[in-house]
Amino acid sequence: MAAAYAAIVRVVEDMYTWNMRVGATEIAAHVFALQRLGRHEQAISRWRKCVDQNYGTSGSEPNGQSTVRLFPQTHTYALDAAVALKNAHVVREIYETAIHVIDKPQDSNIEDRLSVSRRQLFWAIFPTNTCESQNADIQVVNGSRRAWDPARLGSVFLANVYKDACHWAGTDHELLSRIMMYLIRALFSEGQRRRAVDLYISLINTRKTSNLVRPLVTREIICEVTFGLCRSARLDDAYKLLTSAPSEHRTLFAWNAYFDGLSNAIAKPQHGMAHVGAKQKALDRLRLAIREMETRDGIEPDLVTRTIWLRACFRSGQWTKGVKWFRANFEIMQHDPVCWDTVVRGALGSCGAAQETGWQLISDIVQRAESRVLGVDERMLETVLQCMLEHLANVDAEFVPDEALLRRILEWVEAKQPLARQQVFAITINALLRANRIQCALDLHARMARGSMWPAKSINCMIVAALASDNTYATAREFIERNLPRQHFVAAYFVLFKRAAHAKRYSHMWNIFDTHYPEICVPQTPTQSEYATPFPDAAMYNTVLRVTREYGDVHEHKRLLDRMQVHIGVVSDSMPRAAQRIASVYGYYRNRQQDPPPC
């Protein structure tokens, strides 16, 4: 189908090129094809141009060109593109424009078709996943990868959408329930808990007095209100709401939302759980709630429920109970990376004995993943890597795993990580350097280079600084010349140069000066020719002149100024702008009474 969509785009764009008349059908097909090809920005741009041309800007009359009455579906396709971009501002713009355009009086003669088109426009705002899947996602999945959430549109906008839907699609009770669900979520996220609860109560009253075929209150809305109350630390209110709801609405997802609120309250007893007392009592309350779900509604706990209980055990400080329970339910939980994630985080966040157990679990994860017994997702990789980073950065850890295990874990994570995730390795190198594990950092740097994931300039400079931390510069200079691209030479040598100047190791400083004096050739990109830059440059001169002036080293200060004067003449013809910057620094420091320039 991609080829067909591409062909549609080419045909319509050729029509624009040849100044042919492009009708509503072609415009709709063009926007639709662009959206289906993933070219969402272009689809929205084309929609904007067509709306401006055919309906005017901000409600004004269109210009003198012949106008085309756009199909309502065209606005829906543009709205689909905005939702795919997760851009709330553009979604609001397209919706408000579309409602205004479709509602024009001249369209009243096709009311039946417009009614269907309006319903499609409303549904385009909302994803296909229900509140239940959204709440499960909140509990166990990294929020950065969450799908489009219409609650981001804001409660004011969603309230207006609900009014429009009642007017144009009042018989579509499923649509009205969906809009209400996201409106309640938006109110809770904006801190308007009272308004959200009042809205839910009004829905309950509507259900009792209305003869609607399908009531507005659904199990998704029950789940949403329960979750919102728990997030607001209103656990008693959430329990009353959940237990008073009809049995068909007390789903596993709603109970899990309540359980998650109890677990979060254990971590923060000052919010919502102060009346319970000790964390042990809070854990008992969660255990009784899970039992009530089983006996009252006949619902068996799922993996999410078990994960919440496991997390609560660690949060209450009972790590031995958590690990024991995990091992007792190993057959059920062994294939779920989220359960492993929870127990590893909990163990490593506890005392020394628990940390030893946590590292044993990480070793088991690597072994089971390598033998394909455990499927490992991106979250699990991040957890294992984060545990390593926190350990490497914590030199006072109660338990220290052996070096062989750390290397094995690092190699495993590296093999699993996508090539585009260069920053993860950069963070790892940073943690290794902070823990003074320089050799491990060099090994990872070499593997990154072999894997076409060249470290950023900042990481290279950090390694150079670590190698020169003991005021010996030969190793650092060798690392620069052998392992760094020439684009990073100036920045890396600047680190050495600055350290030597502050340590008053002027002989090393002058050796660095003479390494590539008077200029160094740097390739812009692998496909472009080289360009020259002065070495040392103005920033390096400025730094060492400031240091020598502060230390009162008059001889070295004057020697640097003399070198600068010669250097300016050498590079003035080939690099006039760079020479001008060096001359500016020279002018400031020639008169020692002036403040140093901002370089």
Side-chain angles (χ1 to χ4, degrees):
M1 292 298 294
Y5 296 141
I8 293 173
V9 171
R10 286 196 302 270
V11 170
V12 178
E13 289 179 350
D14 287 342
M15 294 176 68
Y16 280 114
T17 302
W18 299 332
N19 292 324
M20 298 175 64
R21 186 180 186 277
V22 180
T25 302
E26 291 80 8
I27 293 173
H30 193 202
V31 175
F32 176 74
L34 288 171
Q35 187 268 331
R36 297 295 291 178
L37 289 171
R39 296 157 63 177
H40 305 301
E41 295 90 348
Q42 296 181 32
I44 295 170
S45 177
R46 173 50 56 190
W47 171 84
R48 284 195 179 111
K49 291 180 181 178
C50 292
V51 168
D52 182 43
Q53 177 181 353
N54 296 288
Y55 297 98
T57 304
S58 302
S60 62
E61 294 297 324
N63 50 35
Q65 303 175 2
S66 59
T67 60
V68 176
R69 185 177 301 166
L70 299 182
F71 291 151
Q73 292 88 339
T74 306
H75 309 294
T76 303
Y77 302 150
L79 198 57
D80 288 335
V83 168
L85 292 175
K86 304 178 186 178
N87 191 322
H89 174 74
V90 179
V91 169
R92 287 192 288 263
E93 172 197 350
I94 295 175
Y95 172 82
E96 291 169 354
T97 302
I99 286 294
H100 173 71
V101 168
I102 295 176
D103 195 28
K104 282 186 177 292
Q106 61 264 30
D107 293 333
S108 59
N109 59 338
I110 51 173
E111 183 61 35
D112 292 338
R113 292 170 57 189
L114 286 178
S115 178
V116 175
S117 299
R118 290 191 188 99
R119 285 200 296 271
Q120 293 175 345
L121 186 72
F122 292 130
W123 276 108
I125 300 176
F126 305 101
T128 56
N129 62 313
T130 64
C131 174
E132 296 176 351
S133 61
Q134 183 76 4
N135 279 336
D137 180 72
I138 290 173
Q139 294 166 12
V140 300
V141 178
N142 190 325
S144 62
R145 293 181 292 277
R146 196 174 301 160
W148 156 254
D149 184 2
R152 292 174 49 201
L153 295 167
S155 60
V156 175
F157 176 82
L158 290 174
N160 292 331
V161 173
Y162 183 77
K163 292 178 183 178
D164 294 337
C166 290
H167 179 68
W168 298 112
T171 59
D172 193 340
H173 303 306
E174 184 178 359
L175 172 64
L176 297 179
S177 298
R178 183 67 63 84
I179 299 174
M180 188 59 64
M181 180 190 77
Y182 285 109
L183 175 56
I184 290 174
R185 180 182 298 177
L187 288 170
F188 274 115
S189 65
E190 294 169 4
Q192 302 186 58
R193 174 184 54 81
R194 175 50 55 190
R195 284 191 59 194
V197 173
D198 290 343
L199 184 59
Y200 169 74
I201 294 174
S202 68
L203 292 177
I204 295 292
N205 295 333
T206 302
R207 175 176 177 268
K208 294 179 179 179
T209 59
S210 176
N211 294 322
L212 292 175
V213 177
R214 186 176 188 274
L216 282 175
V217 178
T218 62
R219 61 181 187 176
E220 290 85 5
I221 291 180
I222 296 291
C223 183
E224 196 65 58
V225 178
T226 302
F227 187 78
L229 287 172
C230 290
R231 290 287 295 270
S232 303
R234 292 286 190 172
L235 299 175
D236 292 336
D237 293 341
Y239 177 76
K240 292 177 182 178
L241 180 145
L242 184 59
T243 53
S244 63
S247 58
E248 64 271 16
H249 290 167
R250 288 198 303 268
T251 63
L252 176 62
F253 301 98
W255 279 106
N256 280 340
Y258 175 62
F259 299 153
D260 193 53
L262 289 173
S263 176
N264 291 333
I266 293 174
K268 299 178 180 180
Q270 69 275 19
H271 294 146
M273 291 292 291
H275 65 284
V276 178
K279 290 185 177 181
Q280 176 60 47
K281 293 182 179 180
L283 191 64
D284 291 340
R285 181 176 178 177
L286 175 58
R287 176 176 53 81
L288 293 174
I290 295 175
R291 183 178 299 174
E292 181 179 1
M293 178 189 70
E294 295 176 309
T295 57
R296 184 171 187 165
D297 295 329
I299 300 175
E300 292 294 327
D302 65 349
L303 278 174
V304 175
T305 311
R306 291 182 169 87
T307 302
I308 292 171
W309 170 256
L310 191 62
R311 188 184 301 120
C313 290
F314 287 110
R315 286 177 172 175
S316 63
Q318 303 186 40
W319 71 269
T320 52
K321 177 182 287 188
V323 173
K324 183 178 179 180
W325 190 85
F326 175 74
R327 289 171 174 167
N329 295 269
F330 187 75
E331 291 298 324
I332 300 174
M333 308 177 73
Q334 64 173 324
H335 299 294
D336 184 40
V338 177
C339 296
W340 285 90
D341 178 277
T342 303
V343 71
V344 166
R345 286 177 183 267
L348 291 179
S350 303
C351 62
Q355 292 175 14
E356 182 177 1
T357 302
W359 283 105
Q360 291 174 357
L361 289 170
I362 290 180
S363 180
D364 292 341
I365 289 173
V366 176
Q367 182 178 357
R368 295 171 68 83
E370 290 175 343
S371 59
R372 301 182 182 275
V373 176
L374 175 66
V376 177
D377 60 3
E378 189 174 324
R379 177 187 171 94
M380 175 57 71
L381 291 171
E382 290 180 353
T383 296
V384 174
L385 187 57
Q386 180 180 351
C387 293
M388 280 201 60
L389 298 181
E390 292 175 352
H391 166 73
L392 295 172
N394 182 15
V395 295
D396 298 324
E398 296 183 44
F399 175 77
V400 180
D402 59 67
E403 200 76 22
L405 176 60
L406 292 177
R407 288 180 180 274
R408 181 186 174 198
I409 294 172
L410 192 59
E411 291 174 359
W412 174 72
V413 173
E414 176 194 353
K416 292 290 184 181
Q417 289 287 0
L419 292 179
R421 305 197 61 202
Q422 181 179 1
Q423 60 182 9
V424 175
F425 294 92
I427 296 171
T428 308
I429 289 178
N430 186 18
L432 290 168
L433 294 176
R434 284 189 295 160
N436 201 29
R437 298 175 181 266
I438 299 178
Q439 189 56 49
C440 290
L442 291 174
D443 292 343
L444 181 56
H445 185 279
R447 288 199 295 271
M448 289 178 69
R450 290 196 298 269
S452 299
M453 291 183 294
W454 195 259
K457 184 190 298 183
S458 59
I459 294 299
N460 290 330
C461 290
M462 280 194 290
I463 292 180
V464 171
L467 292 173
S469 59
D470 57 352
N471 293 328
T472 58
Y473 305 102
T475 305
R477 292 179 63 180
E478 182 180 1
F479 174 80
I480 294 173
E481 295 293 336
R482 290 189 176 184
N483 299 291
L484 301 193
R486 296 183 73 86
Q487 296 94 319
H488 297 178
F489 272 24
V490 175
Y493 272 119
F494 178 78
V495 174
L496 283 183
F497 182 74
K498 186 176 181 180
R499 282 184 173 271
H502 279 283
K504 295 187 176 182
R505 299 293 185 91
Y506 295 119
S507 60
H508 293 288
M509 183 190 72
W510 285 108
N511 287 335
I512 295 170
F513 259 41
D514 296 334
T515 303
H516 295 284
Y517 178 87
E519 64 185 35
I520 184 172
C521 294
V522 179
Q524 292 179 322
T525 68
T527 60
Q528 291 180 330
S529 59
E530 295 182 341
Y531 72 97
T533 183
F535 189 92
D537 61 4
M540 297 173 74
Y541 277 123
N542 181 65
T543 297
V544 73
L545 284 169
R546 181 184 288 115
V547 170
T548 54
R549 193 177 72 170
E550 290 176 355
Y551 290 167
D553 294 326
V554 179
H555 174 73
E556 296 295 337
H557 191 86
K558 185 176 183 303
R559 185 180 177 188
L560 282 166
L561 289 174
D562 293 340
R563 171 65 69 91
M564 287 181 71
Q565 187 176 20
V566 176
H567 199 181
I568 293 170
V570 172
V571 300
S572 59
D573 293 336
S574 58
M575 292 168 281
R577 292 186 178 180
Q580 185 177 2
R581 288 191 290 269
I582 297 175
S584 176
V585 175
Y586 176 82
Y588 273 103
Y589 285 99
R590 190 63 181 175
N591 182 357
R592 292 184 57 192
Q593 300 302 318
Q594 298 188 26
D595 293 331
C599 281

